[in-house]
């Protein structure tokens, strides 16, 4: 009896906490600017013919779960950045920069992320003969797009200090491109350059007046079916993923975090949170069932069966793969590289609600914004 009562009180308390968290989120930011690659792109890409023939994003079954049509998002539904705009109660998802919607109405922000984007500038890959038809954009071209946006929208330029800057994961393509080309460039050089570009980018935003930022690290790129298919079968870690690839992401994130620490010291008026994609992804891979997943490794929209249900020349949306698995919500991975909406939702929840996956916590970013607003 007492236990039941305690349980009820606990539930009520949780409800109060959840309601106030939602209210706090709703009041905090009215404008979001997002950057990154295909994990964050809400439609800037359009059938870019990437090196892994991921050129079918405009075809079904992309978008099947939520939008019921392709929106050129690389998933069956919403991405982490979509759950962000929902958490902030913005009236709409962020329009992709290249869309008419962004040109006509960017009231609540713009998404500059584009699939295939690298951290390092495209010329570097081209000059090293790594340029097989890859997306020409990098994080620096996204910065140029943002600058063009500000020139067209003087009001947005004035309110830059009120916006939330969401820097999605970026850099995974840099490692992938050099790997695919059997490059002579050492991963360490890619890492040094890639992290340098990301921190330069973040600092450029800070210098323009950005005050609230969330920067994501790399996920467990070694757990993506693509990486596991390409890696040697003996190259495995304690969660059965490609050990060398995960080690690369780990090293990248460590260096990125050090860079962000330096930026925090240099720009104390800004709050720069680190969203630990790697830790979030690791928690799911260690214990998929806890998060509702029964298939941590199999591609939902793929073919070939086996451990990964992934074939590099017959990917999701190609004429050979026009249907997805029956229950995408049970799968972590959507198309061999990108996640399902269900996984993005789990990751978003971890970033927004769980202090161990975002440092400082997302709630602290919101609280800081509120406090700054009140003292204005
Ligand atoms: C711009 O978009 C927002 C959100 O979708 C909407 O509330 C607002 O009315 C739009 N403004 C104009 C001028 O269309
Ligand atoms: C790239 O290829 C061109 C033409 O094959 C060659 O001349 C050049 O030396 C190569 N560059 C590098 C960095 O390997
Ligand atoms: C297990 O593997 C993951 C992914 O490679 C790594 O991050 C983690 O440190 C490993 N844990 C141990 C105890 O070795």
């Amino acid at each position: 009896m007492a236990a039941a009562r305690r349980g009820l009180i606990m539930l009520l308390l949780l409800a109060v906490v959840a309601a106030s968290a939602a209210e706090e989120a709703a009041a905090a930011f009215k404008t979001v600017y997002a950057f990154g690659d295909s994990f964050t792109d809400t439609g800037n890409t359009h059938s870019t013919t990437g090196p892994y023939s991921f050129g079918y994003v405009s075809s079904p079954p992309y978008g099947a779960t939520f939008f019921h049509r392709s929106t050129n998002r690389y998933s069956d539904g919403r991405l982490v950045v979509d759950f962000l705009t929902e958490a902030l109660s913005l009236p709409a998802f962020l329009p992709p920069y290249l869309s008419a919607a962004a040109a006509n109405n960017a009231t609540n922000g713009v998404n500059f992320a584009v699939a295939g984007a690298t951290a390092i500038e495209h010329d570097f890959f081209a000059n090293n003969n790594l340029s097989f038809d890859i997306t020409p954009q990098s994080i620096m071209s996204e910065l140029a797009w943002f600058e063009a946006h500000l020139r067209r929208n003087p009001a947005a330029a004035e309110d830059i200090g009120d916006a939330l800057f969401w820097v999605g994961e970026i850099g995974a393509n840099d490692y992938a491109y050099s790997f695919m080309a059997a490059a002579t460039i050492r991963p360490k050089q890619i890492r040094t350059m890639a992290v340098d570009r990301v921190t330069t980018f973040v600092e450029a935003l800070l210098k323009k007046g950005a005050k609230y930022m969330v920067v994501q690290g790399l996920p467990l790129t070694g757990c993506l079916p693509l990486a596991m298919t390409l890696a040697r079968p003996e190259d495995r870690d304690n969660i059965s993923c490609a050990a060398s690839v995960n080690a690369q992401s780990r090293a990248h994130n460590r260096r990125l975090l050090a860079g962000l620490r330096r930026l925090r010291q240099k720009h104390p008026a800004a709050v720069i949170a680190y969203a630990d994609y790697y830790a979030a992804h690791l928690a799911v891979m260690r214990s998929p069932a806890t998060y509702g997943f029964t298939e941590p490794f199999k591609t939902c929209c793929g073919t070939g069966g086996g451990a990964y249900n992934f074939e590099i020349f017959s990917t999701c949306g190609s004429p050979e793969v026009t249907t997805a698995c029956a229950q995408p919500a049970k799968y972590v991975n959507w198309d061999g590289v990108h996640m399902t909406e269900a996984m993005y939702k789990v990751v978003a929840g971890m970033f927004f609600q769980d202090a161990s996956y975002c440092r400082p916590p997302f709630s602290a970013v919101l609280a800081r914004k509120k406090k700054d607003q009140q003292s204005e």
Side-chain angles (χ1 to χ4, degrees), residues 64 76 100 130 162 175 186 197 281 301 320 342:
D76 56 320
L130 303 187
D162 288 325
Y175 296 100
R186 300 206 345 267
R197 300 313 186 264
H281 197 175
C301 183
E320 298 86 48

Side-chain angles (χ1 to χ4, degrees), residues 182-195:
T184 47
I185 306 163
R186 300 206 345 267
K188 185 161 183 267
Q189 189 191 347
I190 299 282
R191 179 162 71 239
T192 308
M193 291 179 71
V195 173

Side-chain angles (χ1 to χ4, degrees), residues 9-316:
I9 291 170
M10 194 61 210
L11 272 179
L12 286 173
L13 273 176
L14 281 176
V16 170
V17 170
S20 63
E23 254 165 50
E24 189 165 19
F29 291 101
K30 296 197 166 35
T31 309
V32 177
Y33 297 113
F35 305 85
D37 62 14
S38 53
F39 274 48
T40 309
D41 185 355
T42 53
N44 281 314
T45 188
H46 186 80
S47 282
T48 39
T49 330
Y52 324 128
S53 44
F54 271 111
Y56 303 105
V57 67
S58 303
S59 310
Y62 279 96
T65 296
F66 182 78
F67 300 99
H68 307 299
R69 64 183 172 86
S70 166
T71 58
N72 288 322
R73 281 171 174 78
Y74 280 87
S75 186
D76 56 320
R78 289 160 291 181
L79 314 179
V80 174
V81 68
D82 296 316
F83 291 111
L84 171 72
T85 51
E86 287 187 0
L88 295 173
S89 301
L90 296 191
F93 295 124
L94 292 187
Y97 173 68
L98 299 178
S99 69
N104 296 332
N105 184 353
T107 312
N108 298 115
V110 178
N111 189 338
F112 300 92
V114 58
T118 47
I120 304 168
E121 58 283 359
H122 181 258
D123 278 0
F124 169 77
F125 296 100
N127 295 339
N128 283 284
N129 294 343
L130 303 187
S131 173
F132 30 13
D133 214 6
I134 66 173
T135 305
Q137 276 84 29
S138 68
I139 195 76
M140 286 303 172
S141 14
E142 292 179 26
L143 180 65
W145 284 352
F146 178 57
E147 285 166 345
H149 172 74
L150 294 183
R151 281 194 298 273
R152 281 203 302 262
N153 298 274
E158 224 155 87
D159 295 341
I160 211 167
D162 288 325
L164 176 64
F165 286 81
W166 188 256
V167 185
E169 70 101 13
I170 183 89
N173 289 323
D174 301 62
Y175 296 100
Y177 292 156
S178 38
F179 178 83
M180 293 296 285
T184 47
I185 306 163
R186 300 206 345 267
K188 185 161 183 267
Q189 189 191 347
I190 299 282
R191 179 162 71 239
T192 308
M193 291 179 71
V195 173
D196 169 73
R197 300 313 186 264
V198 178
T199 50
T200 302
F201 166 81
V202 167
E203 185 154 37
L205 294 176
L206 291 167
K207 283 180 177 161
K208 286 182 192 306
K211 277 186 71 184
Y212 311 97
M213 302 191 105
V214 179
V215 181
Q216 291 173 20
L218 295 183
L220 291 162
T221 44
C223 297
L224 307 179
L226 169 72
M228 298 185 62
T229 303
L230 295 176
R232 287 174 295 110
E234 64 275 18
D235 179 11
R236 293 293 184 260
D237 56 20
N238 61 41
I239 44 169
S240 307
C241 300
S244 61
V245 184
N246 278 344
Q248 216 165 50
S249 288
R250 210 158 48 233
H252 177 98
N253 290 341
R254 211 179 302 126
R255 196 176 173 92
L256 174 61
L257 205 47
L260 295 182
R261 276 195 207 105
R262 269 195 307 276
L263 289 177
R264 284 180 193 133
Q265 281 169 359
K266 218 169 141 187
H267 302 269
V271 45
I272 308 169
Y274 175 69
D276 196 340
Y277 218 127
Y278 188 98
H281 197 175
L282 183 58
V284 172
M285 295 309 285
R286 275 201 179 126
S287 176
T290 308
Y291 299 93
F293 299 111
T294 56
E295 297 293 349
F297 291 117
K298 276 198 180 74
T299 300
C300 168
C301 183
T303 189
Y308 310 126
N309 190 39
F310 179 75
E311 282 183 7
I312 201 159
F313 294 114
S314 302
T315 53
C316 185

